Amino acid sequence: MPVGGSSPVLLDGDAWQAYFRDFERSAFRLEVHQTYTMPAEAETVRGFLAGARKPDGFNAPWHRTVGDRTAAGRTMTRAKLVRRPLTPYSRYLFEWCIPGNVAAGEDYHIVDVTDREVSGLPEQDFWMFDESTVVHLNYRSDGSQISRELIQDPDLGKYLAWRDLALESAVPFSAYRT
């Protein structure tokens, strides 16, 4: 039960998209899972795994979002934890997704935890907007999303410390080689 008996604030649709439209300075994502099972990606993941060519205009709406925000002086940063060998989903990200995100302006970092422990990082995916708003991305063990939950009164010091630890432990995607 949430603290104080209040119901969790779950985000979907435009209420969720508004965070990407309206943040003023920064958006940061910590990505800890090795596989995500997102219905919107199922077809392209299957194509990637079957050896298909990446579709023209792949991920263009996200690239426009990133490009528009970064052109306006806002930052979009992501830190992804990986373990080798990479999962098929992580290979899909590395080959089809992340390069376009970086080209659009996303500051993408890789934290390789294969041969080392990065003590202190959570097992929770989250977005943090403007260092003041935190949204947990909740997943089942198979990588399917359960919910996006706005965290009421987050301990911002904890999330900022997690962000800083992830980035200190990371290398830029462009420098990472598997």
Side-chain angles (χ1 to χ4, degrees):
M1 183 81 175
V3 176
S6 62
S7 297
V9 176
L10 302 181
L11 301 171
D12 208 359
D14 190 60
W16 170 234
Q17 293 306 314
Y19 286 92
F20 295 97
R21 186 176 56 243
D22 299 339
F23 76 90
E24 296 177 4
R25 295 174 311 283
S26 65
F28 170 81
R29 164 111 188 244
L30 180 65
E31 221 172 81
V32 301
H33 297 282
Q34 302 307 296
T35 298
Y36 295 91
T37 309
M38 305 301 287
E41 292 180 327
E43 186 177 331
T44 56
V45 171
R46 273 194 303 276
F48 167 78
L49 295 175
R53 190 176 144 271
K54 183 167 63 171
D56 291 338
F58 177 76
N59 218 8
W62 179 249
H63 297 158
R64 277 192 301 278
T65 296
V66 172
D68 290 350
R69 299 322 171 266
T70 57
R74 304 183 224 175
T75 62
M76 296 186 78
T77 306
R78 193 179 313 223
K80 171 154 185 53
L81 274 61
V82 299
R83 289 178 188 80
R84 287 176 275 117
L86 296 178
T87 63
Y89 185 84
S90 288
R91 289 191 352 261
Y92 160 77
L93 284 180
F94 277 51
E95 293 182 38
W96 276 22
C97 301
I98 299 172
N101 295 359
V102 170
E106 191 170 354
D107 189 13
Y108 217 109
H109 299 264
I110 303 299
V111 182
D112 192 327
V113 294
T114 304
D115 298 321
R116 66 185 175 127
E117 181 180 337
V118 179
S119 183
L121 287 176
E123 293 183 20
Q124 174 68 55
D125 278 47
F126 66 88
W127 276 100
M128 180 170 47
F129 300 94
D130 294 327
E131 299 184 344
S132 62
T133 301
V134 175
V135 177
H136 280 187
L137 306 173
N138 300 312
Y139 295 91
R140 293 177 187 87
S141 60
D142 71 353
S144 58
Q145 192 170 73
I146 299 167
S147 64
R148 290 177 291 262
E149 180 182 354
L150 178 65
I151 301 304
Q152 307 281 346
D153 301 316
D155 177 351
L156 291 173
K158 177 173 69 173
Y159 289 94
L160 292 166
W162 285 338
R163 178 203 60 196
D164 294 348
L165 176 60
L167 293 174
E168 289 164 8
S169 305
V171 297
F173 175 75
S174 60
Y176 183 77
R177 298 288 178 261
T178 56

